[in-house]
Amino acid sequence: MTPKKASVITVILAVLGLIFTVIGMFTFSQDKVVVGIAFWIASVIAGRFIKKKSFAKS
C-alpha cells in the first residue's frame, strides 16, 4: 500500500469519527459518541501501523 493511499484511509477514519462524535453530542446519543471515539482510535492505530510499516521499508 502506498503512503498516499494509507493516509487517505486514516483521514477517512478520522472524518467518520468526527461526524459520529458531533452527531452523537447534538442528539445526545451515547452510542454514536462511542462509535465516533472508536473511529478516532482506529485512525490513530492505523496511522501508527502505517508509519511503522513505511519506516521498515526504508
Side-chain angles (χ1 to χ4, degrees):
M1 191 179 317
T2 64
K4 191 163 191 130
K5 283 184 184 178
S7 62
V8 169
I9 292 170
T10 19
V11 169
I12 289 172
L13 287 173
V15 168
L16 284 173
L18 176 67
I19 290 170
F20 274 103
T21 304
V22 170
I23 289 173
M25 286 165 51
F26 284 116
T27 60
F28 301 107
S29 172
Q30 188 174 4
D31 293 337
K32 288 181 183 165
V33 172
V34 170
V35 169
I37 292 171
F39 274 120
W40 278 104
I41 292 171
S43 73
V44 169
I45 291 172
R48 288 184 182 197
F49 178 73
I50 291 164
K51 189 174 171 184
K52 282 182 183 178
K53 221 173 181 183
S54 67
F55 278 137
K57 285 184 179 180
S58 55

